[in-house]
Structure formats: structure tokens, C-alpha cells
Amino acid sequence: MTTRYVGAATTITADDVAALYEGAKFYSPAVAPEKTTLQAWTTNLLERNGPVTLVRPDALAPETRCAALCVIGSGAALADLPPSGDEFALAVRELERLTRRRFEAVYPLAAATVSALAPLAAASQLDVPLIDADGMGRTFALIHHTAMHLAGLSPTPLVIRGATGENVAITVPDPARADTLLRSNVDVVGGWAALAAYPTTTGELRRGALTGTVSRLVNVGRLLLESSDPDVLVARLAAVTGCRRIGRGRIVELEHLSRPADVTIPAHPSTVVVDELGGQGRLLRLELRSEVVAVFADGALAAAAPDLICLVDVLHGELSTLDSLEPGDLVDVLVMPADAVWYSAEGLAMVGPASHGIPLAHPRRR
């Protein structure tokens, strides 16, 4: 797939799925998503049905109806109870029945992790375009942590469909309540579910969503698949994503996921300490929740959510996920800026350091 648009549209083929998957991991490097079933399933769909059209919101008529899709729930449950193949398409069909509107396109709620594959698969099954936009530009903990919410769009009505074949529909006036209701129902339907939400039009997406976030996954994924030298990889990632290396060092302390979690945000508080080699010889302390939410360099806050903070395994020249870290690992600590909307006062109030229990000014707002 080329990421240079001819006109305003291009396609994603079966050959692009591996790069899309790798790029999706980069934008959500917390825990490695289940690979074999979902990647193979999506690849097989595109081999059978042909390429999926990838189109920007402004290339479609503004009245085009569309819905966001993602995987919600436990990755472990998804691995134990893999999709039968039609959960996401059927969630869209149920949302159509609920809203009495036909959806002519789909888009990712979050263009990251396995939630980047789900709308591609559904687009193939429903024979509709995939919109090159999403609501987060990475992943955040709650479904109202989106640019669409900041633009005044509601996540409901929404539908989840479990692997057991059950549907749950939710409509609420307060978007924050949607997530609370969702999580209790996801446990009941098997621990994970296909979510169809944010029913809207492409005209509304033009002002509310983050454009170009699907195609950039393929760009980044290709770099990750092609580069094994860590210095080359970091340099190429910097050119494409704007990331920078905070430091390189060895993990000298890894606190297991044992601290009490904030009940409002799914999290497993933990800490990783990296002893910097070369440079200034600093101690880098990484604060973990469901992702790396902050990096302190000799006690000073160097980066924090909504920055995307990830680790590269220097020995293997590949991303390190948080469930793979071991004391003694040599890692590069990278930080990449999120989309600009997340550094607004409203965006930082929603997903900034304070939302993770770190009451400090973000380094980009000092």
C-alpha cells in the first residue's frame, strides 16, 4: 500500500495487514496483542474479498453515515475465546437496527492495538470503505477519551456483541457513564466484546476525528518490519513520527504489578527504573498504569501522558511490550508527541498526568 493518496483514496490489501499490525503495536505498546488468530483472520478476509478502500473523511459526502469500531475488554479473554468471525459486522448491523440508519463506512475508535484490525475486517465483510481517521491517535483507557467527545459528539447509542452471540445496547446522557456500564456488561458476555459506537456522519468526523491515523500505522509498521538495527530504527521512527530518544540504559528495577489500582481507570500501577548508559548517566523512572504514563529523569518529569512513551529492545531492535520486560534488558526510552488536540486544556484534563494521579504540569505546557 502506498501512503501517498491518489486523489483522496487508496486501498489496504492482504499484504498490508502485517505492517498495519506492527504499526498498531507501536501506538499501544503496553501488552502484546494476540497475533495469530486476528492477523490471520483479517489477512484471509482480504485475500477472499479483495482490498478494502481507505478514504479520508473529506473525500466522502458529508452526510455519509459511519460508526466507530474497537475491541473492548480483556486481551487474555480474547486469546482464550477468539472471535468466530462476524462479531464486528453484526455489532454494526445491530447499531443500524437501533438507530434505524444504514452505515456506509466504518472507522477505528482507536487506531492502535487489535482495535486497528477490527474495523478493517468489518469493512471487508460489510463491503464499505474504511475511513482513514480515528478518535484517539493511539489508545486511552476510556471510550469517551476521544477527540470526537471533545468536539461534542456522543459515543452512544452504542452496541457491544460478545463472542457468545449476545448483544447489549447502551444509551446514556453522560458519556462517562457509558464506560462504566460497558465494563460490567463485557464481563458478562465473555470478557471481551466487539464495540460499535459514535454513530455519526463524515461531515461531523471532519471536525471531530484525527485524520490520517490509519495510513500512518502502515508507514510505521513497515519501518518496524524492515529495521533490526536499533539506531537505524529510532532514526527512521523519528523521521516519520516525531519521536525522540530520552535515553538508553539497562533496567535495574522492575516493580511487579502489585499496587492498588484506581477504580476509575483500568490500571496496574508499577514502576520500571532504567540506569542510563552514557549521556548524563541519569536514573530514568518510568511510571506504569495500563501504559507508560510518565518518565522522570533524576526526579524531574521528562515526559508524560498524553505523550506516547515506549521502549525499544536494543539487542533485538524491536519494540518491548510491558509484559516482556526483565531486569537487565538494554532499552531505548522513546517519547512521541500525541496529536495536538490532547495538549489543549480540555485534552490534558482528560488524559494528562493528573488523570493518572501525577499532579504535575505537563512538560509541554510549562
Side-chain angles (χ1 to χ4, degrees):
M1 165 186 164
T2 176
T3 54
R4 294 181 180 178
Y5 282 78
V6 178
T10 187
T11 59
I12 295 181
T13 71
D15 292 337
D16 299 316
V17 174
L20 179 69
Y21 171 83
E22 292 299 323
K25 285 198 301 182
F26 178 79
Y27 283 90
S28 183
V31 177
E34 195 280 329
K35 176 178 180 178
T36 305
T37 300
L38 287 171
Q39 185 174 331
W41 169 52
T42 307
T43 301
N44 290 338
L45 272 176
L46 269 62
E47 287 175 342
R48 288 199 311 270
N49 299 343
V52 167
T53 299
L54 181 67
V55 60
R56 292 178 182 260
D58 56 8
L60 295 171
E63 66 273 12
T64 302
R65 301 289 303 179
C66 53
L69 294 173
C70 81
V71 179
I72 187 166
S74 162
L78 180 64
D80 290 340
L81 189 63
S84 60
D86 57 3
E87 287 87 353
F88 298 95
L90 290 176
V92 173
R93 291 300 186 218
E94 182 64 16
L95 189 58
E96 287 178 338
R97 189 189 67 79
L98 186 65
T99 61
R100 299 181 181 179
R101 297 290 184 89
R102 191 77 169 178
F103 294 109
E104 302 162 286
V106 295
Y107 63 101
L109 181 63
T113 188
V114 292
S115 290
L117 296 180
L120 174 61
S124 178
Q125 292 172 318
L126 297 168
D127 193 24
V128 298
L130 175 64
I131 298 175
D132 192 4
D134 84 314
M136 299 181 182
R138 39 158 301 164
T139 55
F140 291 116
L142 307 180
I143 68 163
H144 66 284
H145 288 174
T146 66
M148 288 93 70
H149 173 67
L150 292 178
L153 302 182
S154 174
T156 70
L158 61 81
V159 168
I160 59 169
R161 184 174 180 87
T164 54
E166 299 165 311
N167 296 323
V168 177
I170 294 174
T171 301
V172 293
D174 179 3
R177 285 284 295 160
D179 204 279
T180 302
L181 293 170
L182 265 179
R183 295 189 185 279
S184 59
N185 281 284
V186 166
D187 289 339
V188 174
V189 298
W192 77 272
L195 169 69
Y198 284 95
T200 187
T201 65
T202 51
E204 294 292 336
L205 278 191
R206 293 177 191 179
R207 69 178 182 85
L210 306 172
T211 302
T213 51
V214 176
S215 54
R216 78 180 179 186
L217 296 184
V218 180
N219 273 340
V220 171
R222 285 178 171 167
L223 295 182
L224 293 167
L225 291 172
E226 293 169 359
S227 303
S228 58
D229 181 291
D231 292 317
V232 172
L233 176 61
V234 171
R236 290 178 176 176
L237 287 173
V240 171
T241 69
C243 72
R244 62 182 176 88
R245 179 162 48 198
I246 294 180
R248 172 178 290 180
R250 291 200 181 276
I251 295 177
V252 295
E253 184 177 342
L254 177 59
E255 179 184 278
H256 292 289
L257 308 180
S258 58
R259 280 188 268 153
D262 184 333
V263 296
T264 64
I265 295 180
H268 297 286
S270 183
T271 298
V272 173
V273 178
V274 176
D275 188 3
E276 186 179 24
L277 302 178
Q280 302 175 51
R282 301 166 297 177
L283 279 180
L284 305 177
R285 191 177 93 241
L286 283 60
E287 285 297 314
L288 281 56
R289 302 296 186 267
S290 53
E291 60 174 303
V292 183
V293 299
V295 180
F296 292 86
D298 281 349
L301 185 63
D307 300 342
L308 182 68
I309 302 163
C310 60
L311 303 176
V312 170
D313 183 324
V314 174
L315 180 61
H316 298 101
E318 62 185 19
L319 285 179
S320 294
T321 55
L322 301 189
D323 57 342
S324 69
L325 300 179
E326 297 287 347
D329 286 353
L330 182 62
V331 296
D332 282 327
V333 181
L334 305 184
V335 58
M336 183 182 68
D339 290 271
V341 66
W342 298 119
Y343 299 104
S344 66
E346 298 81 5
L348 285 174
M350 183 181 291
V351 296
S355 72
H356 298 284
I358 303 172
L360 299 174
H362 193 281
R364 296 177 184 273
R365 291 298 297 267
R366 289 174 183 164

